[in-house]
């Protein structure tokens, strides 16, 4: 099948490259010429383990362009995977999606063959049918479901393991209101071998938001219980290991610490809250999920002040800046509020991250970025904010360590050790 993917970010690039690895011909489209040049040179435009190897492996089936109309005109199915940034009220900004749909519609006007358009970006339920569909119809002069296919295919990728998640997913959700679109997507995903669930379009959109909301809620619940465990001298890991053995619960995402970040959970939960509010519903539990997550980094700073009450003029080392290991993404990273508070208190911050220092420097140019993690260990105290595997190999003896991610070696070696929830 010939596939075009609009947007070369985490979702679009990984999705398109994995389709190529399945044997399809893929055209990746992006407004950024640098990303297009990188893909053409066999390089990944984003930091994602294993992605560049797949691009090189499938170079004969992958092309990249800035010309959306040409890409749509030469393919059978188009996936829209552009960004949906948050607005001030928490709702998502649909301008990139609607602009892409306008251009896709204009390209469809010139096509006689049936073409399928799939919204891959995470959007509030109803967006595909009520907003993207009308734009496509108006620009193309055609009718969705009759002259072209329209559907939703939410992604469930985790940064750092996105390639594996794409090629070996837990499930594939196909949102389609016409059988032809459902059949095309079903055929596309048949070789994957995962469970395929076909739902109405709006249901598929709701599944994506609900999935992220549930996982975010588990993290915040674990952190609230973990905070209590800390006060009671109880090992929160032991608690959640046993709780997770219950088949009704599962152990996933019960890891206590300083909370969640990244491009999905915070944004999607805010968008769900904002969208629900617009429909007259107040999602109280999810508002609390975000509140707990915003408070969690402050627990780590309180523990630091227990050992260094006055941070003025002190040097504080930070290990880890990305929101999670195996990515360079610092969006909503819990390191951002921690570093901001340290600087506001007059501390000098020296930081190291294997992948994210370039991105973090754009937010905090005044931080000292160490070329190696050992240099961070010379600080008056060390904060562990991302659980990169290489941090397990450091020597924490005679150090003050405040741990937000539960690094066992630091716990065993440090002269003074405090875990946020343990």
């Amino acid at each position: 099948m010939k596939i075009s993917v609009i947007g070369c970010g985490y979702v679009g690039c990984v999705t398109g490259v994995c389709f190529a690895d399945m044997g399809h011909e893929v055209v990746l489209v992006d407004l950024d010429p640098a990303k297009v040049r990188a893909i053409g040179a066999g390089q990944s435009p984003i930091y994602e383990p294993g992605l560049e190897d797949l691009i090189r492996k499938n170079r004969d089936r992958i092309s990249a362009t800035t010309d959306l109309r040409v890409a749509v005109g030469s393919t059978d199915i188009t996936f829209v995977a552009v960004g949906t940034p948050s607005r001030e009220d928490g709702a998502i900004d649909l301008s990139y999606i609607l602009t892409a749909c306008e251009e896709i519609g204009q390209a469809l006007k010139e096509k006689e063959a049936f073409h399928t358009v799939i919204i891959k970006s995470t959007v509030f339920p109803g967006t595909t049918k009520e907003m993207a569909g009308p734009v496509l119809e108006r620009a193309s002069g055609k009718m969705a479901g009759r002259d072209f296919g329209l559907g939703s295919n939410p992604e469930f990728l985790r940064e750092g393991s996105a390639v594996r998640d794409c090629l070996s997913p837990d499930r594939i959700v196909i949102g389609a209101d016409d059988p032809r679109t459902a059949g095309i997507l079903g055929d596309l995903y048949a070789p994957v071998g995962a469970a395929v669930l076909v739902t109405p379009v709006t249901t598929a959109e709701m599944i994506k938001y609900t999935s992220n909301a549930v996982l975010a809620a588990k993290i915040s619940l674990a952190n609230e219980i973990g905070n209590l465990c800390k006060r009671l001298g109880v090992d929160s890991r032991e608690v959640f290991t046993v709780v997770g053995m219950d088949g009704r619960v599962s152990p996933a995402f019960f890891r206590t610490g300083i909370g969640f970040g990244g491009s999905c959970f915070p944004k999607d939960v805010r968008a769900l809250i904002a969208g629900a509010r617009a429909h007259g519903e107040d999602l109280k539990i999810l508002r609390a999920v975000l509140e707990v997550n915003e408070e969690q980094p402050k627990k780590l700073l309180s523990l630091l002040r227990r050992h260094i009450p006055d941070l003025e003029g002190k040097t504080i080392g930070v290990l880890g800046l990305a929101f999670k290991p195996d990515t360079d993404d610092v969006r909503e990273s819990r390191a951002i509020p921690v570093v901001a508070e340290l600087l506001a208190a007059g501390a000098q911050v020296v930081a190291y991250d294997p992948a994210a220092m370039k991105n973090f420097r754009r937010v905090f140019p005044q931080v000292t970025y160490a070329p190696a993690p050992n240099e961070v260990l010379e600080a008056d105290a060390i904060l562990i904010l991302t659980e990169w595997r290489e941090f397990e190999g450091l020597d924490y003896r005679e150090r003050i360590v405040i741990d937000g991610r539960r690094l066992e070696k630091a716990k065993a070696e440090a002269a003074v050790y405090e875990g946020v929830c343990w």
Side-chain angles (χ1 to χ4, degrees), residues 153-190:
N153 177 218
E155 53 82 19
F156 302 98
L157 308 179
R158 298 166 296 172
E159 290 184 34
S161 59
V163 170
R164 182 171 67 250
D165 292 341
C166 193
L167 294 174
S168 302
D170 296 324
R171 77 289 200 199
I172 295 164
V173 176
I174 293 172
D177 294 331
D178 69 275
R180 189 169 182 180
T181 297
I184 289 169
L185 278 176
D187 291 343
L188 178 64
Y189 280 112

Side-chain angles (χ1 to χ4, degrees), residues 77-288:
I77 181 169
T78 297
F79 287 84
V80 179
V82 297
T84 54
S86 293
R87 299 193 318 225
E88 285 188 11
D89 64 354
I92 56 172
D93 179 352
L94 293 172
S95 59
Y96 296 118
I97 285 184
L98 298 182
T99 298
C101 286
E102 176 73 27
E103 286 196 59
I104 292 168
Q106 291 169 3
L108 294 183
K109 185 187 292 186
E110 310 300 323
K111 290 192 72 170
E112 293 185 7
F114 188 88
H115 191 96
T116 305
V117 180
I118 302 299
I119 305 300
K120 192 80 172 172
S121 304
T122 299
V123 294
F124 191 80
T127 299
T128 299
K129 289 177 63 177
E130 297 168 15
M131 300 189 74
V135 170
L136 287 162
E137 289 180 331
R138 184 172 60 252
S140 67
K142 298 181 178 183
M143 183 178 292
R146 185 190 70 187
D147 305 316
F148 66 90
L150 178 64
S152 170
N153 177 218
E155 53 82 19
F156 302 98
L157 308 179
R158 298 166 296 172
E159 290 184 34
S161 59
V163 170
R164 182 171 67 250
D165 292 341
C166 193
L167 294 174
S168 302
D170 296 324
R171 77 289 200 199
I172 295 164
V173 176
I174 293 172
D177 294 331
D178 69 275
R180 189 169 182 180
T181 297
I184 289 169
L185 278 176
D187 291 343
L188 178 64
Y189 280 112
V192 176
V196 176
L197 304 136
V198 180
T199 74
V201 170
T202 304
T203 302
E205 293 167 329
M206 192 72 214
I207 287 169
K208 167 62 177 179
Y209 267 113
T210 303
S211 178
N212 280 358
V214 168
L215 297 176
K218 287 187 74 172
I219 294 169
S220 284
L221 172 63
N223 282 331
E224 279 212 304
I225 297 296
N227 293 337
L228 179 59
C229 287
K230 175 75 174 179
R231 290 185 179 274
L232 298 176
V234 173
D235 186 339
S236 61
R237 173 179 286 181
E238 188 174 354
V239 170
F240 284 108
T241 296
V242 177
V243 170
M245 293 170 70
D246 189 324
R248 300 166 298 176
V249 177
S250 121
F253 287 81
F254 268 155
R255 187 165 186 175
T256 55
I258 52 173
F260 56 81
S263 62
C264 292
F265 286 3
K267 178 172 75 74
D268 291 352
V269 174
R270 289 190 198 109
L272 189 55
I273 292 169
R277 187 186 305 120
H279 287 79
E281 293 293 335
D282 181 12
L283 304 185
K284 299 181 182 69
I285 291 175
L286 291 185
R287 284 197 288 110

Side-chain angles (χ1 to χ4, degrees), residues 18 20 66 69 85 89 98 133 136 192 237 265 267 299 314-315 324 327 336 338 344 371-372 377 382 397 402 408:
C18 287
T66 57
R69 294 194 200 181
D89 64 354
L98 298 182
L136 287 162
V192 176
R237 173 179 286 181
F265 286 3
K267 178 172 75 74
K299 305 288 184 181
K314 299 294 184 182
T315 299
K324 62 179 287 189
T327 181
I336 292 174
V338 170
L377 299 182
I382 299 116
R397 289 174 295 180
I402 313 299
E408 292 300 326

Side-chain angles (χ1 to χ4, degrees), residues 5 18 88 110 201 284 320 343 348 369-370 389 394 418:
V5 180
C18 287
E88 285 188 11
E110 310 300 323
V201 170
K284 299 181 182 69
L343 294 172
Q348 302 295 314
Y369 294 91
R389 186 174 295 115
L394 301 179
E418 290 272 14

Side-chain angles (χ1 to χ4, degrees), residues 4 10 15 19 43 63 65 73 192 300 363 369 393 409 420:
S4 49
Y10 281 95
T15 299
F19 278 144
Q43 300 167 352
S63 61
T65 181
V192 176
L300 179 139
V363 185
Y369 294 91
K409 191 165 187 284
V420 171

